[in-house]
Amino acid sequence: MITVLAGGVGAARLLRGVLAVHPAAAVTAVVNTADDVELHGLHVSPDLDTVTYTLAGAINPETGWGLVDETWQAMATLGRYGGITWFNLGDRDLGTHLYRTQRLSEGAPLSEVTAEIVRGWDLALTVLPVTDDRLRTMVTIDEQGDGDVTEIGFQEYFVQRRHDVEVRSVRFDGADAALAGPGVLDALAGADRVVIAPSNPIVSIGPLLAVPGVRDAVVARRADTVAVSPIIAGAALKGPADRLLRELGHESSVVGVARLYRDLAATLVIDDADAHLAPAVEAEGLRCVVAPTIMSGPDEAAALGRTVLTA
Ligand code: GDP
Ligand code: CA
């Protein structure tokens, strides 16, 4: 059994690679739900959907989120009324949010609904929301850079402001009272290998670890845990991971990632581009594996999947 701690895009790509070299029935993804957002009365779970759509081969290759062959008629109608249009939801994608919202309103927990959606895409792996409880990343920003701060929801930061604003702090609303979702702690305790995917350490892996019991469960498996750095040559491939690390006082490098993960993972996989930093990573107390980590296609993903399973 392999358990992967997952955010969105980077994790989905790595999971695709892991599934190319390992039976799906023996793979569990524990996925971030702190990016979830309620819009138009609908419950949207971006990271769960990115993982599901990617593994189903149905992700929109142009955006990296949403469904392939998407149309946007519902958004155009919303725009006609002056509705909320800064968060794009495609017509095909809306079916997922309609289904999820209806099932939640009937009282089904998110974990059960997620299993139904994953089955609907004929996937055999187990996808677990980290919690069934409400968990939301809240971001304190300094919009004008004048010391006047405001707290906004994650998607208002990430999508509405295109993460182009200074971040002062991040917190995970609801984390203290949240319970790890059904199967999450067992999936960590029972795994032969735990993998921390190349996801944003602050806003994708951070919320998973903030759910009581999860961090301790990973720490207990440190010897069998392998992390993949989302930072390559000092930068994120996409998104604000590099900027967020710096703004919150960390180093935007594989060494900064090593410092964040040293208590969680015995091994860190870094990209060939960072090979010269391997001794600095090992000085932080992790074993360092140098490998190609840019998953530009299925072959690269499968190779990285093999690396994390054998490292
Ligand atoms: P999001 O929730 O969709 O923003 O995705 P993640 O939580 O997975 O965070 C995106 C992070 O994944 C960024 O820091 C990227 O640098 C990293 N990432 C995406 N694709 C790859 C990849 O192919 N290789 C590596 N090493 N990192 C990746
Ligand atoms: Ca995300």
Side-chain angles (χ1 to χ4, degrees):
M1 178 61 71
I2 308 296
T3 297
V4 180
L5 297 183
V9 176
R13 289 182 179 156
L14 181 63
L15 277 161
R16 199 177 188 188
V18 168
L19 292 179
V21 297
H22 201 76
V27 175
T28 298
V30 175
V31 181
N32 177 37
T33 55
D35 295 6
D36 287 18
V37 61
E38 284 86 22
L39 285 165
H40 325 291
L42 301 177
H43 184 115
V44 181
S45 296
D47 284 353
L48 285 169
D49 291 346
T50 294
V51 166
T52 303
Y53 295 166
T54 300
L55 299 180
I59 197 84
N60 186 333
E62 279 137 46
T63 52
W65 50 266
L67 284 165
V68 68
D69 299 330
E70 193 55 281
T71 54
W72 306 94
Q73 298 298 327
M75 293 307 294
T77 308
L78 276 167
R80 184 180 288 273
Y81 308 133
I84 301 166
T85 53
W86 57 263
F87 196 94
N88 282 300
L89 297 170
D91 301 331
R92 295 189 70 199
D93 187 30
L94 272 167
T96 301
H97 314 311
L98 291 170
Y99 181 77
R100 176 185 293 118
T101 305
Q102 170 64 18
R103 294 287 291 125
L104 291 172
S105 78
E106 290 166 6
L110 184 61
S111 50
E112 197 177 315
V113 183
T114 300
E116 291 165 2
I117 291 171
V118 167
R119 227 178 294 131
W121 288 97
D122 301 320
L123 299 174
L125 85 162
T126 302
V127 178
L128 303 176
V130 65
T131 179
D132 278 335
D133 298 323
R134 186 188 158 85
L135 178 67
R136 295 290 182 273
T137 297
M138 302 298 296
V139 183
T140 297
I141 58 165
D142 185 345
E143 202 137 26
Q144 270 82 47
D146 59 0
D148 210 355
V149 300
T150 32
E151 186 176 66
I152 56 175
F154 178 76
Q155 298 300 351
E156 286 154 325
Y157 158 71
F158 193 78
V159 177
Q160 195 172 24
R161 289 172 181 73
R162 298 165 207 277
H163 48 77
D164 188 19
V165 58
E166 193 180 321
V167 172
R168 290 300 175 82
S169 62
V170 168
R171 73 181 179 94
F172 308 115
D173 192 49
D176 293 350
L179 294 178
V184 167
L185 298 181
D186 287 345
L188 291 166
D192 301 302
R193 169 137 304 182
V194 176
V195 179
I196 302 177
S199 291
N200 189 312
I202 306 286
V203 294
S204 293
I205 303 300
L208 304 181
L209 301 172
V211 172
V214 173
R215 172 179 276 274
D216 289 347
V218 181
V219 168
R221 303 304 315 278
R222 183 184 185 276
D224 300 307
T225 300
V226 178
V228 179
S229 176
I231 299 294
I232 299 175
L237 286 184
K238 147 188 171 294
D242 45 5
R243 187 172 169 178
L244 267 180
L245 284 170
R246 281 192 301 272
E247 287 172 337
L248 298 178
H250 306 284
E251 196 175 300
S252 172
S253 72
V254 293
V255 179
V257 174
R259 288 184 190 131
L260 283 168
Y261 288 160
R262 55 191 288 174
D263 296 335
L264 303 163
T267 306
L268 180 66
V269 180
I270 67 170
D271 193 77
D272 286 340
D274 291 307
H276 60 289
L277 292 172
V281 166
E282 299 217 319
E284 298 297 330
L286 297 93
R287 207 166 63 87
C288 188
V289 172
V290 181
T293 70
I294 299 181
M295 294 173 279
S296 34
D299 294 344
E300 291 82 0
L304 186 56
R306 208 169 292 115
T307 298
V308 298
L309 299 193
T310 56

